[in-house]
Amino acid sequence: MEERKPKILLAEDDTNLGMVLKNYLELNDYDVELCRDGILALAAFRREKFDICLLDIMMPNMDGFKLAEEIRDVDPDIPLFFLSAKTMKEDIIQGYKLGADDYISKPFDSELLLLKIKAILKRNQELNNKDEEVHEFVIGSYTFNSRLRTLGHNNETHTLSPKENELLHMLCEHKNDLLPRELALKKIWGSDTYFNGRSMDVYIAKLRKYLKDDPNIEIVNIHGNGFRLVVKDA
């Protein structure tokens, strides 16, 4: 299935600039809706789902500042850039006060704009992925919530330390599969030095102790490679 292209709302009343920018962005794999005034842009925003908005300020019927306010009322989190010939400090400050992620003065370098768009869309994707990360796990007869750092068993709850929590979370993500030693060390301890490795072994021993009341759970050491959180069917 073809991957969905990021969709951009471009509100720009300069016909030539609007078309040039639309064509440039489309050549770089973006889907662009070009609107020539604020009212049309707002209607498009309410009608379709966009990933980022690029707004001129001086437009007929509704200027970019008012359009930004209306957009923010609908979606407070959507990335929003102002593209404007208005370079007074007061205008730039107003743009950022309205929640702009960037204020780009005309004339601007299209390649630089493209890089900024890519960067902010990547940031948002990473944030969305983090929000979608699984935080609740069932490990045999235990329940584990990595957001709260709690491990529950038989109506008792134990609060894990930050490193215990991160290590158990990674083991759960690799349940019944290999968690590479180097991967865990670099993500949790920052490097895979000998001393960090000894420290991780201590934390593995702690997790084994916490999980010992269920005989169907085992953290297996795969010598030289890493660990497996093995959970057998009861």
Side-chain angles (χ1 to χ4, degrees), residues 82-203:
F82 284 114
L83 311 176
S84 179
K86 292 168 74 71
T87 57
M88 296 289 289
K89 179 180 177 181
E90 294 78 10
D91 295 316
I92 296 172
I93 289 173
Q94 184 179 355
Y96 281 113
K97 281 184 176 179
L98 289 170
D101 293 273
D102 209 335
Y103 190 109
I104 301 171
S105 299
K106 296 177 181 178
F108 52 82
D109 186 313
S110 297
E111 187 176 356
L112 180 59
L113 173 64
L114 182 65
L115 290 172
K116 289 186 173 189
I117 290 171
K118 286 180 177 179
I120 199 159
L121 291 180
K122 181 181 178 184
R123 182 203 72 185
N124 271 30
Q125 183 61 50
E126 288 172 350
L127 288 172
N128 289 336
N129 289 343
K130 192 169 184 180
D131 288 340
E132 293 168 4
E133 189 177 81
V134 175
H135 296 280
E136 296 183 3
F137 300 89
V138 175
I139 313 167
S141 57
Y142 289 81
T143 56
F144 170 48
N145 187 314
S146 63
R147 192 189 296 276
L148 300 177
R149 289 198 284 122
T150 57
L151 183 64
H153 188 252
N154 288 341
N155 297 318
E156 293 185 4
T157 300
H158 176 74
T159 300
L160 302 174
S161 73
K163 278 191 170 66
E164 290 169 351
N165 185 68
E166 287 187 74
L167 186 53
L168 184 55
H169 190 185
M170 291 190 75
L171 285 165
C172 287
E173 289 179 327
H174 293 77
K175 187 173 78 169
N176 294 324
D177 201 352
L178 175 70
L179 169 60
R181 188 178 185 86
E182 182 181 359
L183 176 65
L185 283 169
K186 287 185 175 179
K187 183 171 181 181
I188 300 172
W189 276 266
S191 66
D192 59 346
T193 64
Y194 171 82
F195 294 105
N196 285 340
R198 303 321 303 159
S199 176
M200 183 167 71
D201 291 338
V202 171
Y203 279 90

Side-chain angles (χ1 to χ4, degrees), residues 45 50-53 71-72 75-80 99 101 124:
F45 184 80
F50 293 91
D51 297 288
I52 188 170
C53 300
I71 285 173
R72 280 283 179 250
D75 186 345
D77 299 319
I78 189 167
L80 189 156
D101 293 273
N124 271 30

Side-chain angles (χ1 to χ4, degrees), residues 13-76:
D13 71 326
D14 182 318
T15 303
N16 291 332
L17 175 60
M19 286 306 302
V20 167
L21 192 51
K22 174 180 166 69
N23 291 338
Y24 176 74
L25 292 170
E26 288 178 341
L27 285 172
N28 284 278
D29 290 327
Y30 291 93
D31 184 5
V32 183
E33 174 96 10
L34 173 61
C35 300
R36 304 196 189 281
D37 70 50
I39 289 178
L40 292 174
L42 181 58
F45 184 80
R46 287 174 169 163
R47 184 175 64 246
E48 301 180 51
K49 180 170 177 56
F50 293 91
D51 297 288
I52 188 170
C53 300
L54 310 180
L55 312 181
D56 184 22
I57 293 176
M58 294 182 288
M59 295 186 293
N61 299 323
M62 179 188 293
D63 68 26
F65 288 147
K66 178 62 176 172
L67 174 58
E69 288 181 358
E70 297 288 343
I71 285 173
R72 280 283 179 250
D73 283 343
V74 177
D75 186 345

Side-chain angles (χ1 to χ4, degrees), residues 1-5:
M1 188 170 66
E2 188 176 352
E3 187 177 349
R4 173 185 173 273
K5 295 180 180 180

